[in-house]
Amino acid sequence: MSTTPVQEGEEITPLEMTPDIQHVRAYFGDGAPQTFFFNDDAAKAQGLPGRPVPGPLKVGILYGAVENWLGNRGYVRTVRAAHRRPDVQGNPIVVTGTVARVFEEDGKQRADLELYIINKDGQPSVRGSATVEFWD
Amino acid sequence: MHTVLTLLRPPANECQFRPAADGVRPSNRVRFALMADHSLLTEELRAHIGRAADARHATVTIEQVHRSMGVYGGDISRPFADGDIVPGYVLMGLVSDGEGLRVPVPLPKSLLVSNEFTVERPIRLGEKLVAQPRVADITERLGGQFGHGIYVRTDMEFHDPDGVLVGRTSSTLMHYDPAGARREEAQP
């Protein structure tokens, strides 16, 4: 059995970023819906403080942070995310994560991670988890 | 003498009540029971569970890999050749999520509450996949910060040309009436 290259409690490299309207346009690509993601008034009419960052985009950012941390040591098997509150375009977020459990399953070395997206007020806007598998 | 009602877990299309046995004051329980006096999770709505949209064929192309890496924070200068392992998040943009699976929930607003992505093995550049969207589940919650909510989970399964499951994406939307919500949080 090979040695797992991570330890429980290890933190993934925090990722700081500020999703903006260009980022949201890139996410939707061609045919972006003209909704409150692109219109301040429409967002405020929904009771939001500004144009929100789409939830699936935030999950992809979470996924990307795990991919970047893992590098060529293995691959990401699962990412789960629970959306707790909206993030507004133009506001900074930080993706953080910790290795919660290292284990062997089906003859493979795997690790569970706890993940968060933290908003500018220090509150988690997304709580997530991931399972990664290391190459033999 | 008051009749005290206690709300139990609702079955498919109605709530059940039973007399309270613990002598708790009736006011809050009766008020809650009256707010949630009927289920919106009808048989007609439940009939959508398992409904699938047309399967779609997709190929993992270098353009899709670069696009997803640009959006989700990967190194787009990294070279890939056919057959190389690519980041699994490329599945997220391969086909539109839940297209053609609109469920007619009789509540005016909706929020994305959760997502899940699973791959059974690494995804490789150039491989051909078949994506099959379907309504995986519809459940109901009475009470809570958003009041009466209907949760619709939509799955997209990806199979290889031999029919072997490669990965799955899943998203859950909560439909609710803001009139019954205590405060608004979560995610559009």
Side-chain angles (χ1 to χ4, degrees):
Chain A
M1 187 179 87
S2 59
T3 304
T4 306
V6 297
Q7 300 291 320
E8 291 179 3
E10 178 180 329
E11 295 185 359
I12 72 169
T13 311
L15 171 67
E16 297 182 31
M17 63 189 315
T18 302
D20 57 15
I21 196 163
Q22 284 77 27
H23 202 158
V24 174
R25 282 204 182 100
Y27 164 72
F28 280 112
D30 296 335
Q34 294 305 307
T35 60
F36 55 30
F37 295 117
F38 298 98
N39 185 301
D40 278 313
D41 291 338
K44 287 172 182 167
Q46 293 291 318
L48 295 162
R51 287 175 281 107
V53 181
L57 170 56
K58 293 197 290 184
V59 180
I61 291 169
L62 207 62
Y63 200 143
V66 178
E67 283 273 2
N68 292 343
W69 166 80
L70 185 62
N72 58 10
R73 296 179 293 178
Y75 74 101
V76 182
R77 286 181 56 84
T78 302
V79 175
R80 298 184 182 89
H83 300 279
R84 309 305 299 176
R85 46 181 59 85
D87 284 295
V88 172
Q89 295 173 36
N91 286 347
I93 58 173
V94 182
V95 180
T96 67
T98 305
V99 177
R101 183 170 73 113
V102 178
F103 60 103
E104 184 177 338
E105 188 174 58
D106 298 333
K108 304 288 185 182
Q109 288 293 315
R110 293 176 179 165
D112 289 337
L113 286 77
E114 292 178 353
L115 304 167
Y116 295 93
I117 292 180
I118 307 296
N119 68 16
K120 68 181 179 61
D121 299 320
Q123 297 174 313
S125 61
V126 176
R127 294 176 189 267
S129 64
T131 300
V132 300
E133 180 174 305
F134 298 96
W135 306 131
D136 292 331
Chain B
M1 179 180 158
H2 294 289
T3 300
V4 181
L5 303 174
T6 301
L7 183 65
L8 299 177
R9 180 185 296 276
N13 57 1
E14 63 177 350
C15 294
Q16 289 184 336
F17 300 90
R18 66 172 169 79
D22 55 9
V24 175
R25 288 167 63 88
S27 55
N28 286 343
R29 284 179 170 169
V30 171
R31 189 176 302 131
F32 181 50
L34 291 173
M35 284 170 53
D37 62 352
H38 70 288
S39 171
L40 297 175
L41 189 49
T42 60
E43 288 303 318
E44 183 181 21
L45 202 54
R46 288 175 56 80
H48 288 268
I49 298 173
R51 187 165 59 87
D54 291 341
R56 278 163 272 171
H57 296 262
T59 302
V60 179
T61 65
I62 191 65
E63 290 78 16
Q64 283 158 335
V65 171
H66 281 159
R67 179 175 177 275
S68 60
M69 292 180 84
V71 171
Y72 303 134
D75 176 11
I76 59 171
S77 67
R78 181 176 151 198
F80 290 98
D82 254 7
D84 282 354
I85 292 172
V86 299
Y89 52 58
V90 70
L91 288 185
M92 294 172 64
L94 215 51
V95 293
S96 300
D97 191 27
E99 195 173 280
L101 284 181
R102 188 171 181 80
V103 176
V105 176
L107 291 168
K109 292 190 75 174
S110 60
L111 287 172
L112 175 66
V113 293
S114 65
N115 291 102
E116 182 169 337
F117 302 89
T118 301
V119 294
E120 300 296 323
R121 58 157 175 82
I123 307 299
R124 293 182 180 276
L125 182 63
E127 70 174 304
K128 298 181 187 308
L129 300 171
V130 179
Q132 176 69 72
R134 70 184 182 96
V135 178
D137 202 7
I138 304 175
T139 57
E140 181 173 44
R141 183 181 179 192
L142 306 178
Q145 75 179 62
F146 290 96
H148 200 152
I150 298 283
Y151 293 73
V152 178
R153 196 182 97 221
T154 307
D155 286 357
M156 179 95 72
E157 288 189 346
F158 295 87
H159 293 84
D160 69 13
D162 295 326
V164 177
L165 180 67
V166 173
R168 178 187 297 109
T169 67
S170 176
S171 65
T172 301
L173 277 177
M174 179 190 66
H175 301 265
Y176 70 105
D177 184 344
R182 290 207 299 268
R183 62 194 169 99
E184 287 195 33
E185 284 187 347
Q187 175 67 50

